[in-house]
Amino acid sequence: MRERHAGPLRGRAQDFESFVAGAAGRLLHTAALLTAEPADGPGAGPHARRLLTASLARTFADWERLRDEDPYDRTRQELAARFAREAWRHHRPRGGLLSRLTPQERLVLVLRLYEEVPEEQTAALLGLPEDRVRAVCNRSVATMRGTRTPTARRGPARLLGAAP
C-alpha cells in the first residue's frame, strides 16, 4: 500500500521543489521588502524568511487543489495576507529599503510596483477600495522620493479592510 502512494507523493514533492527553486528568490525579496529588513548578508531577514516559509508551507498543503491556479500568485497572496495579519510585528523599522513606510504603505507599494499586481486585484486582496489603494500607493511613492516626510508612526493598523 505504501509503495502505491509513494509515486504520486514523490511527483508532488518534485513539482513543488521545482516551483520553489524558481520562485523562492523573488518571493524572499518580496518578503524582505514587506518586513523592511535588509535582504543581504549572513542571517539577514529572519522575519522575512519565517513569513516566506509559512506561506510556502500553506501552498504545499494546498498543492493538489491548485489545479489551474498559479502557485506563485497563490503564494504571493498568502504572503501578503500573513504580513497583514502580523503587521504589528513589522511596525518598527529594521533598516531595510522601505523602512520609512508604514506596514500598509509597504504592502501596497510592494504589491503594486514590485509585484505589478493590478490596482483592482490589490484592493480585493486587501479588502480596501481601489481609490484607497491608489492614495496609499501615491503617498508611499512620494515618501520614497523624498517629496513627503513620513508621518508620525501610529500604532499598527489593521491592514486588511483598514479604514483611512
Side-chain angles (χ1 to χ4, degrees):
M1 175 94 154
R2 185 178 260 169
E3 293 172 10
R4 203 172 5 165
H5 294 291
L9 290 177
R10 191 171 316 133
R12 175 181 176 214
Q14 287 174 339
D15 289 347
F16 183 75
E17 284 177 21
S18 296
F19 161 69
V20 170
R26 182 173 174 96
L27 286 166
L28 180 59
H29 189 71
T30 299
L33 289 171
L34 290 173
T35 59
E37 293 178 305
D40 51 348
H47 297 287
R49 289 180 191 281
R50 277 195 295 272
L51 191 64
L52 177 59
T53 300
S55 299
L56 286 170
R58 183 62 196 192
T59 300
F60 183 70
D62 294 339
W63 192 254
E64 291 298 316
R65 291 175 285 204
L66 290 179
R67 306 266 185 250
D68 295 332
E69 227 179 311
D70 179 12
Y72 183 89
D73 207 28
R74 180 71 169 273
T75 306
R76 181 181 56 216
Q77 288 174 7
E78 181 66 26
L79 189 68
R82 282 183 182 277
F83 176 76
R85 283 192 303 270
E86 300 172 3
W88 61 273
R89 294 181 185 180
H90 308 289
H91 199 67
R92 191 174 327 120
R94 301 180 196 285
L97 181 64
L98 302 179
S99 63
R100 294 173 37 195
L101 302 176
T102 66
Q104 185 181 51
E105 290 170 336
R106 285 195 306 263
L107 183 55
V108 170
L109 187 75
V110 168
L111 288 174
R112 289 286 297 122
L113 301 182
Y114 183 71
E115 287 292 326
E116 299 179 350
V117 177
E119 193 171 273
E120 59 276 359
Q121 286 180 358
T122 301
L125 178 63
L126 302 179
L128 297 171
E130 286 182 46
D131 59 338
R132 176 75 177 136
V133 168
R134 187 177 314 110
V136 171
C137 189
N138 290 339
R139 184 175 62 231
S140 303
V141 169
T143 299
M144 293 308 295
R145 284 185 178 156
T147 58
R148 178 185 165 270
T149 57
T151 57
R153 301 270 180 201
R154 291 174 241 125
R158 275 189 21 232
L159 295 183
L160 295 174

